[in-house]
Amino acid sequence: MFDLGASELLLIVVVAIVVIGPKDLPIAMRTAGRWIGRIRKVSSHFRAGIDAMVREAELQEMEEKWRKQNAAIMQAHPEPQDAAPQPPSAAAEAPVLLPEVADPLAAHLPETADLPARERQAEPQLPLPPP
């Protein structure tokens, strides 16, 4: 933003020492730093607000574009009016699995054949005998 070289900065420091004085220069620098920090906070807050407004405007433009494209697609491919959506049949809702494919343990454990595999408890394992 500001194009200051080393010679310009040296000139500013010399003028500040002459005008303000070496005794009051640290206080002046601290005050200037606070003001610069406040200005940066305000400018970053302002920039964030502008960026949010730009994003919202872009989002509205894209939504309008999508709405227009959707309307064009719907006009190009209208749905037949006499064809009502058919409810799915019971066979399509739940596929029938063979017992040996669905659960291989069900044939060997008839009392647990109606339980899902995750609800069955594993057989307790006996501890190994001491050597």
Side-chain angles (χ1 to χ4, degrees), residues 97-104:
L97 297 177
L98 298 175
E100 61 271 7
V101 175
D103 193 1

Side-chain angles (χ1 to χ4, degrees), residues 16-40:
I17 290 175
V18 171
V19 172
I20 298 174
K23 182 179 176 185
D24 295 328
L25 190 61
I27 297 170
M29 295 298 289
R30 204 172 302 126
T31 304
R34 286 185 190 137
W35 278 98
I36 290 171
R38 289 179 186 167
I39 290 171
R40 284 185 179 176

Side-chain angles (χ1 to χ4, degrees), residues 51-68:
D51 289 344
M53 288 176 18
V54 167
R55 280 193 299 270
E56 288 176 10
E58 288 175 352
L59 182 62
Q60 288 175 352
E61 289 174 5
M62 291 184 77
E63 284 177 350
E64 183 63 30
K65 179 182 170 185
W66 291 336
R67 218 176 279 121
K68 287 179 182 177

Side-chain angles (χ1 to χ4, degrees), residues 77-100:
H77 304 286
E79 288 186 26
Q81 300 210 358
D82 59 340
Q86 299 292 328
S89 66
E93 287 180 11
V96 177
L97 297 177
L98 298 175
E100 61 271 7

Side-chain angles (χ1 to χ4, degrees), residues 110-128:
E111 67 275 358
T112 60
D114 57 333
L115 293 177
R118 67 176 177 266
E119 292 182 11
R120 280 192 220 122
Q121 298 205 359
E123 292 183 19
Q125 294 185 1
L126 300 175
L128 296 176

